Amino acid sequence: MTMSTSSTDPARATEPKRERGRLRVAAIMTAGVEVFTEKGYDAATMTEIAARSGTAIGSLYRFFPTKEALADALLLQYAQQVKNGLTELKQQVPGMTLERVADAFVDMMLLLRSQRSFAIALMDARGGSADERKRFRKVMRGGVADILCEAIPALPAAKAKVMSVVLIHMLKAVVGIADEESSVRAALLAEMRQLVRMYLVSAAPQSGE
Amino acid sequence: MTMSTSSTDPARATEPKRERGRLRVAAIMTAGVEVFTEKGYDAATMTEIAARSGTAIGSLYRFFPTKEALADALLLQYAQQVKNGLTELKQQVPGMTLERVADAFVDMMLLLRSQRSFAIALMDARGGSADERKRFRKVMRGGVADILCEAIPALPAAKAKVMSVVLIHMLKAVVGIADEESSVRAALLAEMRQLVRMYLVSAAPQSGE
Amino acid sequence: MTMSTSSTDPARATEPKRERGRLRVAAIMTAGVEVFTEKGYDAATMTEIAARSGTAIGSLYRFFPTKEALADALLLQYAQQVKNGLTELKQQVPGMTLERVADAFVDMMLLLRSQRSFAIALMDARGGSADERKRFRKVMRGGVADILCEAIPALPAAKAKVMSVVLIHMLKAVVGIADEESSVRAALLAEMRQLVRMYLVSAAPQSGE
Amino acid sequence: MTMSTSSTDPARATEPKRERGRLRVAAIMTAGVEVFTEKGYDAATMTEIAARSGTAIGSLYRFFPTKEALADALLLQYAQQVKNGLTELKQQVPGMTLERVADAFVDMMLLLRSQRSFAIALMDARGGSADERKRFRKVMRGGVADILCEAIPALPAAKAKVMSVVLIHMLKAVVGIADEESSVRAALLAEMRQLVRMYLVSAAPQSGE
DNA sequence: TATGAATGAGGGTTCATTCAT
DNA sequence: CATGAATGAACCCTCATTCAT
């Protein structure tokens, strides 16, 4: 269905050719993340995103021809960050114990937390196109599965895939827990950390009975 | 159009009027769960809920004077079901192994799945009043913590509380996983089941370090 | 106001039924005056009028098939009261000075004040049919003009008609003034009284220069 | 559809945009006065005001974010006109007889008649915010009292205040009378004029007892 | 190209009125 | 007849999107 060449991606609008445009787009995306996070996809308004980014509404629409397009772009950006995080993590895996790998997953989530809240908002609230959401999931799962394989060499690919899904759900829980009242947050995070470690360790050949 | 049993049934005189109301409310709530689940709180429209339940918009507003009121009622209904489920589970705990308790948690979630998806949508997307959401969380956590204490007598109350939060997040994941493509669903569910079992067992004195 | 004995009288059978209807209608009209006065024609709701009069909404509609019909009936009732007041006043005029007649007009207005506020609300806010409003005006003007002729025998009919319109507007002002803050109300009412007296006296042959 | 003078007129460059806005607002306010006058505050609909002024409903709401806001603006506009009229009148008072002052009041009212009818509608029918109504009353009373003091130097301030309220009510009557059938209107107005004159004269030291 | 005024479909909600019971 | 649940047109208002400047 999609047209051939990559430059006319329906999700993204005109490529920012000039420096000014790039800055503008960056400002818009920042504002977009903010507003979507605060209000959720539906309650967020293009007008507010424009205002917060100091952009005229017309200009915003030049770069992102649709609210959905903006959401998609934001999701894509987040996906990229996750991808980068996963790639980086993957390279560090060789010298790490499984426990450290588990912690690294959790830390990565916490690092991306602010963005992640918004991503959840968009994913769960049907913001952005279903396609984009699917693509995002795929990238995420693939990356995590890769790391798992790296960390647990004996892990069959199929098992890695299954584990990645479960693991990602647990990492989602990490974000949710990080939003809890601060009085119990520390204890909850520690518990989650422990659980994630346990999960990974349990999958390693020598420990699984 | 449906004036069947009322006059023929000698047992009840004025019942039909109220019975119809009950049916109407039930239809509305069912449709509400559907639409809220599909669209999320904001994107769901009262008009569609009315149409899907075969109710005139005015009638819908007679029963639920506000969109928020409807969401609250739905949340409350779900809370009730969860409460019942937890109460029942609690009574069965005494004779169960920890593994079976874990499975019971998962099974309960799967039983409530359709409703649960919607509950998640409402909880995460500021549907309904904040109060109602808070209350729901409290009930859920309390109930789960109770069961944990019952299942693991040596468990300190504080630890039970922490665990309940984590456990609930995992059960949330169960629902998410149950919504996956059927090709992998079975494997994923098995994995989640295993993880939940492991989590509970790890908290029992003899197996925890 | 209530006609007591009829319901206790065992002699007639058809009467009670009608009696009940009369009471119902009276209750509705009382509630109608209240609600229309408090909320104005548009903001008043048939449902509230029904509720306040302890009537089922369906019954209310049996007696007054339309909101407008109810308003008309209320207006008519008020017109009747005014008519009665004017008739009574007319009979007392012979032995009164012009100043006393003027005061009598003002007093009558103050007596009907509660109802009058509502009548103004209906008249000015287009409540009721235009016809009914017109009829009401005619009755009022005719009655006032009659009294003027009685009080000032030499007054030409045409002049009496003109004066009646002006006088009625002044009496309207009396009601408006009676709704002012109590701190100045007394002084304002005294001033208005004085003005009305002056107006009437000025029309009498010997005093008009 | 009407893009006539803007490009041909060499005097202004960016003016048209703002000019158009001004015109739009003026059109809306005119339509607002019309509709509020015809229907009263509650029965008037924003949709009709928009239609009558040739404005899209959305545009109307850009200028007046609320029905109440529009009513307030209209009231304010009228208050401004009254204020100007009163200021002007005050400056002319020194060289005028009391009778001429009275006539001037009446003439001013007749000049503002069309707007005045609507103002009455809004004031009496809880249109606009209570604050705005109160403010309007204050301005009006203060201005009238000022003029009275100017016209009747010996008048005590307290008496002027009382008189202003009464006088304003009479001027309200002037408007009401101006809306009568034309067949009697002239005579009625003459009578009202006479009454207002008499009222003012009666307050002057030499003629008041 | 950038701008923001203009557009109008659509959303939540109310209430006069009807009609099955 | 009385009742009150049911109906749906109409209201106020919002906001994604367009287009003249």
Side-chain angles (χ1 to χ4, degrees), chain C residues 3-40:
Chain C
M3 26 198 133
S4 51
T5 57
S6 59
S7 57
T8 42
D9 188 346
R12 287 165 289 178
T14 47
E15 185 84 53
K17 219 179 282 178
R18 287 185 186 160
E19 182 58 19
R20 274 227 316 199
R22 229 189 292 284
L23 287 177
R24 188 97 301 177
V25 166
I28 291 172
M29 294 183 85
T30 301
V33 170
E34 272 179 40
V35 178
F36 278 131
T37 303
E38 284 171 30
K39 311 271 178 77

mmCIF file of all heavy atoms in Angstrom, chain C residues 3-40:
data_model
loop_
_atom_site.group_PDB
_atom_site.id
_atom_site.type_symbol
_atom_site.label_atom_id
_atom_site.label_comp_id
_atom_site.label_asym_id
_atom_site.label_seq_id
_atom_site.Cartn_x
_atom_site.Cartn_y
_atom_site.Cartn_z
ATOM 1 N N MET C 3 -61.476 25.742 49.804
ATOM 2 C CA MET C 3 -62.913 25.550 50.025
ATOM 3 C C MET C 3 -63.132 24.202 50.656
ATOM 4 O O MET C 3 -63.211 23.175 50.008
ATOM 5 C CB MET C 3 -63.673 25.646 48.715
ATOM 6 C CG MET C 3 -62.799 25.277 47.553
ATOM 7 S SD MET C 3 -63.430 25.826 45.974
ATOM 8 C CE MET C 3 -61.972 26.565 45.243
ATOM 9 N N SER C 4 -63.312 24.183 51.942
ATOM 10 C CA SER C 4 -63.144 22.998 52.752
ATOM 11 C C SER C 4 -64.243 21.945 52.637
ATOM 12 O O SER C 4 -63.950 20.793 52.352
ATOM 13 C CB SER C 4 -63.040 23.420 54.229
ATOM 14 O OG SER C 4 -64.128 24.278 54.535
ATOM 15 N N THR C 5 -65.454 22.299 52.827
ATOM 16 C CA THR C 5 -66.499 21.321 53.123
ATOM 17 C C THR C 5 -66.791 20.334 52.005
ATOM 18 O O THR C 5 -67.314 19.256 52.257
ATOM 19 C CB THR C 5 -67.814 22.032 53.470
ATOM 20 O OG1 THR C 5 -68.160 22.874 52.368
ATOM 21 C CG2 THR C 5 -67.665 22.879 54.712
ATOM 22 N N SER C 6 -66.503 20.637 50.826
ATOM 23 C CA SER C 6 -66.973 19.829 49.712
ATOM 24 C C SER C 6 -66.557 18.363 49.805
ATOM 25 O O SER C 6 -67.350 17.476 49.525
ATOM 26 C CB SER C 6 -66.476 20.411 48.387
ATOM 27 O OG SER C 6 -65.072 20.446 48.385
ATOM 28 N N SER C 7 -65.332 18.093 50.227
ATOM 29 C CA SER C 7 -64.865 16.708 50.208
ATOM 30 C C SER C 7 -65.501 15.890 51.336
ATOM 31 O O SER C 7 -65.631 14.685 51.234
ATOM 32 C CB SER C 7 -63.346 16.665 50.313
ATOM 33 O OG SER C 7 -62.947 17.337 51.497
ATOM 34 N N THR C 8 -65.859 16.561 52.421
ATOM 35 C CA THR C 8 -66.467 15.832 53.528
ATOM 36 C C THR C 8 -67.951 15.568 53.291
ATOM 37 O O THR C 8 -68.551 14.751 53.945
ATOM 38 C CB THR C 8 -66.299 16.618 54.847
ATOM 39 O OG1 THR C 8 -66.558 17.999 54.570
ATOM 40 C CG2 THR C 8 -64.899 16.447 55.400
ATOM 41 N N ASP C 9 -68.502 16.241 52.360
ATOM 42 C CA ASP C 9 -69.928 16.082 52.081
ATOM 43 C C ASP C 9 -70.175 14.766 51.350
ATOM 44 O O ASP C 9 -69.715 14.552 50.232
ATOM 45 C CB ASP C 9 -70.406 17.259 51.216
ATOM 46 C CG ASP C 9 -71.904 17.265 51.060
ATOM 47 O OD1 ASP C 9 -72.542 16.258 51.383
ATOM 48 O OD2 ASP C 9 -72.409 18.298 50.581
ATOM 49 N N PRO C 10 -70.924 13.837 51.975
ATOM 50 C CA PRO C 10 -71.150 12.522 51.377
ATOM 51 C C PRO C 10 -72.234 12.516 50.316
ATOM 52 O O PRO C 10 -72.486 11.499 49.696
ATOM 53 C CB PRO C 10 -71.563 11.670 52.572
ATOM 54 C CG PRO C 10 -72.227 12.643 53.504
ATOM 55 C CD PRO C 10 -71.604 13.977 53.265
ATOM 56 N N ALA C 11 -72.890 13.634 50.138
ATOM 57 C CA ALA C 11 -74.050 13.661 49.266
ATOM 58 C C ALA C 11 -73.713 13.498 47.789
ATOM 59 O O ALA C 11 -74.461 12.918 47.034
ATOM 60 C CB ALA C 11 -74.837 14.962 49.465
ATOM 61 N N ARG C 12 -72.574 14.042 47.410
ATOM 62 C CA ARG C 12 -72.273 14.001 45.973
ATOM 63 C C ARG C 12 -71.102 13.060 45.644
ATOM 64 O O ARG C 12 -70.123 12.986 46.372
ATOM 65 C CB ARG C 12 -71.941 15.411 45.487
ATOM 66 C CG ARG C 12 -73.182 16.292 45.418
ATOM 67 C CD ARG C 12 -72.791 17.734 45.299
ATOM 68 N NE ARG C 12 -72.219 18.214 46.552
ATOM 69 C CZ ARG C 12 -71.759 19.463 46.709
ATOM 70 N NH1 ARG C 12 -71.763 20.292 45.697
ATOM 71 N NH2 ARG C 12 -71.264 19.839 47.860
ATOM 72 N N ALA C 13 -71.245 12.388 44.555
ATOM 73 C CA ALA C 13 -70.217 11.399 44.211
ATOM 74 C C ALA C 13 -69.228 11.947 43.181
ATOM 75 O O ALA C 13 -68.038 11.715 43.264
ATOM 76 C CB ALA C 13 -70.854 10.141 43.647
ATOM 77 N N THR C 14 -69.754 12.647 42.219
ATOM 78 C CA THR C 14 -68.883 13.118 41.140
ATOM 79 C C THR C 14 -67.961 14.249 41.590
ATOM 80 O O THR C 14 -66.930 14.469 41.004
ATOM 81 C CB THR C 14 -69.724 13.613 39.954
ATOM 82 O OG1 THR C 14 -70.752 14.471 40.454
ATOM 83 C CG2 THR C 14 -70.340 12.430 39.224
ATOM 84 N N GLU C 15 -68.368 14.886 42.633
ATOM 85 C CA GLU C 15 -67.602 16.065 43.038
ATOM 86 C C GLU C 15 -66.156 15.751 43.475
ATOM 87 O O GLU C 15 -65.228 16.419 43.033
ATOM 88 C CB GLU C 15 -68.349 16.793 44.165
ATOM 89 C CG GLU C 15 -67.709 18.109 44.584
ATOM 90 C CD GLU C 15 -68.142 19.268 43.695
ATOM 91 O OE1 GLU C 15 -69.347 19.473 43.533
ATOM 92 O OE2 GLU C 15 -67.260 19.941 43.154
ATOM 93 N N PRO C 16 -65.993 14.747 44.350
ATOM 94 C CA PRO C 16 -64.639 14.500 44.860
ATOM 95 C C PRO C 16 -63.599 14.402 43.736
ATOM 96 O O PRO C 16 -62.530 14.945 43.820
ATOM 97 C CB PRO C 16 -64.773 13.172 45.616
ATOM 98 C CG PRO C 16 -66.205 13.131 46.009
ATOM 99 C CD PRO C 16 -66.956 13.813 44.907
ATOM 100 N N LYS C 17 -64.002 13.723 42.715
ATOM 101 C CA LYS C 17 -63.064 13.542 41.612
ATOM 102 C C LYS C 17 -62.628 14.899 41.074
ATOM 103 O O LYS C 17 -61.463 15.182 40.903
ATOM 104 C CB LYS C 17 -63.747 12.722 40.515
ATOM 105 C CG LYS C 17 -62.803 11.712 39.860
ATOM 106 C CD LYS C 17 -63.521 10.914 38.813
ATOM 107 C CE LYS C 17 -64.378 9.822 39.436
ATOM 108 N NZ LYS C 17 -65.129 9.053 38.444
ATOM 109 N N ARG C 18 -63.620 15.718 40.844
ATOM 110 C CA ARG C 18 -63.295 17.037 40.308
ATOM 111 C C ARG C 18 -62.563 17.885 41.333
ATOM 112 O O ARG C 18 -61.707 18.672 41.012
ATOM 113 C CB ARG C 18 -64.585 17.732 39.875
ATOM 114 C CG ARG C 18 -65.122 17.104 38.608
ATOM 115 C CD ARG C 18 -66.322 17.844 38.104
ATOM 116 N NE ARG C 18 -66.875 17.122 36.961
ATOM 117 C CZ ARG C 18 -68.118 17.271 36.527
ATOM 118 N NH1 ARG C 18 -68.918 18.102 37.151
ATOM 119 N NH2 ARG C 18 -68.541 16.608 35.478
ATOM 120 N N GLU C 19 -62.980 17.654 42.614
ATOM 121 C CA GLU C 19 -62.340 18.418 43.661
ATOM 122 C C GLU C 19 -60.840 18.136 43.671
ATOM 123 O O GLU C 19 -60.021 19.041 43.751
ATOM 124 C CB GLU C 19 -62.957 18.032 45.016
ATOM 125 C CG GLU C 19 -62.402 18.792 46.188
ATOM 126 C CD GLU C 19 -62.576 20.290 46.015
ATOM 127 O OE1 GLU C 19 -63.420 20.700 45.193
ATOM 128 O OE2 GLU C 19 -61.871 21.053 46.685
ATOM 129 N N ARG C 20 -60.531 16.879 43.550
ATOM 130 C CA ARG C 20 -59.117 16.514 43.552
ATOM 131 C C ARG C 20 -58.381 17.211 42.433
ATOM 132 O O ARG C 20 -57.289 17.718 42.588
ATOM 133 C CB ARG C 20 -58.974 14.991 43.397
ATOM 134 C CG ARG C 20 -59.061 14.278 44.721
ATOM 135 C CD ARG C 20 -57.957 13.279 44.868
ATOM 136 N NE ARG C 20 -57.782 12.502 43.637
ATOM 137 C CZ ARG C 20 -57.153 11.351 43.611
ATOM 138 N NH1 ARG C 20 -56.690 10.827 44.728
ATOM 139 N NH2 ARG C 20 -56.999 10.707 42.480
ATOM 140 N N GLY C 21 -59.010 17.193 41.277
ATOM 141 C CA GLY C 21 -58.393 17.854 40.139
ATOM 142 C C GLY C 21 -58.134 19.320 40.419
ATOM 143 O O GLY C 21 -57.062 19.834 40.143
ATOM 144 N N ARG C 22 -59.118 19.944 41.074
ATOM 145 C CA ARG C 22 -58.959 21.362 41.357
ATOM 146 C C ARG C 22 -57.759 21.595 42.264
ATOM 147 O O ARG C 22 -56.955 22.497 42.046
ATOM 148 C CB ARG C 22 -60.233 21.877 42.026
ATOM 149 C CG ARG C 22 -60.768 23.160 41.404
ATOM 150 C CD ARG C 22 -61.888 23.742 42.225
ATOM 151 N NE ARG C 22 -63.107 22.942 42.241
ATOM 152 C CZ ARG C 22 -63.974 22.896 41.213
ATOM 153 N NH1 ARG C 22 -63.735 23.582 40.115
ATOM 154 N NH2 ARG C 22 -65.051 22.153 41.282
ATOM 155 N N LEU C 23 -57.672 20.742 43.297
ATOM 156 C CA LEU C 23 -56.552 20.897 44.220
ATOM 157 C C LEU C 23 -55.224 20.725 43.482
ATOM 158 O O LEU C 23 -54.282 21.474 43.671
ATOM 159 C CB LEU C 23 -56.653 19.864 45.342
ATOM 160 C CG LEU C 23 -57.764 20.152 46.358
ATOM 161 C CD1 LEU C 23 -57.834 19.038 47.385
ATOM 162 C CD2 LEU C 23 -57.492 21.488 47.034
ATOM 163 N N ARG C 24 -55.209 19.700 42.637
ATOM 164 C CA ARG C 24 -54.001 19.415 41.869
ATOM 165 C C ARG C 24 -53.604 20.628 41.033
ATOM 166 O O ARG C 24 -52.476 21.085 41.071
ATOM 167 C CB ARG C 24 -54.319 18.215 40.963
ATOM 168 C CG ARG C 24 -53.161 17.637 40.237
ATOM 169 C CD ARG C 24 -52.547 16.434 40.906
ATOM 170 N NE ARG C 24 -52.064 16.687 42.242
ATOM 171 C CZ ARG C 24 -51.543 15.756 43.020
ATOM 172 N NH1 ARG C 24 -51.465 14.515 42.609
ATOM 173 N NH2 ARG C 24 -51.093 16.064 44.225
ATOM 174 N N VAL C 25 -54.586 21.138 40.340
ATOM 175 C CA VAL C 25 -54.308 22.299 39.496
ATOM 176 C C VAL C 25 -53.791 23.462 40.338
ATOM 177 O O VAL C 25 -52.819 24.125 39.967
ATOM 178 C CB VAL C 25 -55.586 22.718 38.741
ATOM 179 C CG1 VAL C 25 -55.392 24.101 38.141
ATOM 180 C CG2 VAL C 25 -55.885 21.709 37.647
ATOM 181 N N ALA C 26 -54.418 23.652 41.487
ATOM 182 C CA ALA C 26 -53.979 24.745 42.345
ATOM 183 C C ALA C 26 -52.531 24.553 42.764
ATOM 184 O O ALA C 26 -51.710 25.478 42.722
ATOM 185 C CB ALA C 26 -54.878 24.839 43.573
ATOM 186 N N ALA C 27 -52.220 23.320 43.157
ATOM 187 C CA ALA C 27 -50.846 23.033 43.595
ATOM 188 C C ALA C 27 -49.866 23.298 42.461
ATOM 189 O O ALA C 27 -48.800 23.902 42.645
ATOM 190 C CB ALA C 27 -50.742 21.578 44.055
ATOM 191 N N ILE C 28 -50.256 22.864 41.283
ATOM 192 C CA ILE C 28 -49.368 23.066 40.131
ATOM 193 C C ILE C 28 -49.147 24.547 39.872
ATOM 194 O O ILE C 28 -48.026 25.001 39.678
ATOM 195 C CB ILE C 28 -49.975 22.406 38.877
ATOM 196 C CG1 ILE C 28 -49.949 20.879 39.007
ATOM 197 C CG2 ILE C 28 -49.201 22.824 37.639
ATOM 198 C CD1 ILE C 28 -50.706 20.153 37.905
ATOM 199 N N MET C 29 -50.239 25.290 39.944
ATOM 200 C CA MET C 29 -50.102 26.712 39.648
ATOM 201 C C MET C 29 -49.236 27.419 40.688
ATOM 202 O O MET C 29 -48.409 28.263 40.353
ATOM 203 C CB MET C 29 -51.484 27.355 39.530
ATOM 204 C CG MET C 29 -52.243 26.805 38.327
ATOM 205 S SD MET C 29 -53.845 27.578 38.060
ATOM 206 C CE MET C 29 -53.400 29.016 37.114
ATOM 207 N N THR C 30 -49.427 27.031 41.927
ATOM 208 C CA THR C 30 -48.585 27.634 42.962
ATOM 209 C C THR C 30 -47.111 27.346 42.673
ATOM 210 O O THR C 30 -46.261 28.233 42.681
ATOM 211 C CB THR C 30 -48.960 27.060 44.344
ATOM 212 O OG1 THR C 30 -50.326 27.345 44.597
ATOM 213 C CG2 THR C 30 -48.089 27.689 45.419
ATOM 214 N N ALA C 31 -46.850 26.079 42.413
ATOM 215 C CA ALA C 31 -45.465 25.698 42.123
ATOM 216 C C ALA C 31 -44.974 26.427 40.877
ATOM 217 O O ALA C 31 -43.826 26.873 40.800
ATOM 218 C CB ALA C 31 -45.371 24.185 41.930
ATOM 219 N N GLY C 32 -45.852 26.549 39.916
ATOM 220 C CA GLY C 32 -45.470 27.235 38.682
ATOM 221 C C GLY C 32 -45.044 28.664 38.943
ATOM 222 O O GLY C 32 -43.993 29.107 38.472
ATOM 223 N N VAL C 33 -45.856 29.368 39.729
ATOM 224 C CA VAL C 33 -45.492 30.749 40.063
ATOM 225 C C VAL C 33 -44.123 30.782 40.720
ATOM 226 O O VAL C 33 -43.259 31.579 40.360
ATOM 227 C CB VAL C 33 -46.555 31.363 40.997
ATOM 228 C CG1 VAL C 33 -46.065 32.690 41.536
ATOM 229 C CG2 VAL C 33 -47.860 31.542 40.257
ATOM 230 N N GLU C 34 -43.931 29.888 41.671
ATOM 231 C CA GLU C 34 -42.650 29.847 42.378
ATOM 232 C C GLU C 34 -41.488 29.665 41.421
ATOM 233 O O GLU C 34 -40.542 30.446 41.396
ATOM 234 C CB GLU C 34 -42.639 28.672 43.355
ATOM 235 C CG GLU C 34 -43.198 28.964 44.724
ATOM 236 C CD GLU C 34 -43.155 27.713 45.593
ATOM 237 O OE1 GLU C 34 -42.135 26.960 45.530
ATOM 238 O OE2 GLU C 34 -44.134 27.478 46.296
ATOM 239 N N VAL C 35 -41.588 28.605 40.645
ATOM 240 C CA VAL C 35 -40.448 28.249 39.812
ATOM 241 C C VAL C 35 -40.206 29.279 38.715
ATOM 242 O O VAL C 35 -39.071 29.673 38.455
ATOM 243 C CB VAL C 35 -40.648 26.844 39.206
ATOM 244 C CG1 VAL C 35 -39.491 26.496 38.290
ATOM 245 C CG2 VAL C 35 -40.784 25.813 40.311
ATOM 246 N N PHE C 36 -41.283 29.730 38.085
ATOM 247 C CA PHE C 36 -41.099 30.754 37.043
ATOM 248 C C PHE C 36 -40.458 32.005 37.642
ATOM 249 O O PHE C 36 -39.618 32.648 37.013
ATOM 250 C CB PHE C 36 -42.444 31.108 36.399
ATOM 251 C CG PHE C 36 -42.871 30.140 35.337
ATOM 252 C CD1 PHE C 36 -44.148 29.593 35.327
ATOM 253 C CD2 PHE C 36 -41.987 29.779 34.314
ATOM 254 C CE1 PHE C 36 -44.541 28.687 34.330
ATOM 255 C CE2 PHE C 36 -42.385 28.879 33.315
ATOM 256 C CZ PHE C 36 -43.659 28.337 33.334
ATOM 257 N N THR C 37 -40.889 32.348 38.843
ATOM 258 C CA THR C 37 -40.329 33.538 39.471
ATOM 259 C C THR C 37 -38.849 33.349 39.757
ATOM 260 O O THR C 37 -38.026 34.216 39.470
ATOM 261 C CB THR C 37 -41.071 33.824 40.794
ATOM 262 O OG1 THR C 37 -42.459 33.957 40.519
ATOM 263 C CG2 THR C 37 -40.540 35.113 41.412
ATOM 264 N N GLU C 38 -38.519 32.203 40.322
ATOM 265 C CA GLU C 38 -37.123 31.966 40.699
ATOM 266 C C GLU C 38 -36.199 31.856 39.495
ATOM 267 O O GLU C 38 -35.085 32.363 39.502
ATOM 268 C CB GLU C 38 -37.013 30.669 41.509
ATOM 269 C CG GLU C 38 -37.504 30.817 42.941
ATOM 270 C CD GLU C 38 -37.582 29.457 43.608
ATOM 271 O OE1 GLU C 38 -36.791 28.567 43.244
ATOM 272 O OE2 GLU C 38 -38.451 29.278 44.490
ATOM 273 N N LYS C 39 -36.664 31.159 38.459
ATOM 274 C CA LYS C 39 -35.751 30.823 37.383
ATOM 275 C C LYS C 39 -35.992 31.591 36.085
ATOM 276 O O LYS C 39 -35.131 31.585 35.206
ATOM 277 C CB LYS C 39 -35.859 29.319 37.066
ATOM 278 C CG LYS C 39 -35.796 28.382 38.273
ATOM 279 C CD LYS C 39 -34.372 27.996 38.581
ATOM 280 C CE LYS C 39 -34.290 27.099 39.815
ATOM 281 N NZ LYS C 39 -34.675 25.719 39.597
ATOM 282 N N GLY C 40 -37.151 32.183 35.969
ATOM 283 C CA GLY C 40 -37.491 32.782 34.674
ATOM 284 C C GLY C 40 -38.142 31.725 33.789
ATOM 285 O O GLY C 40 -38.031 30.524 34.047
#
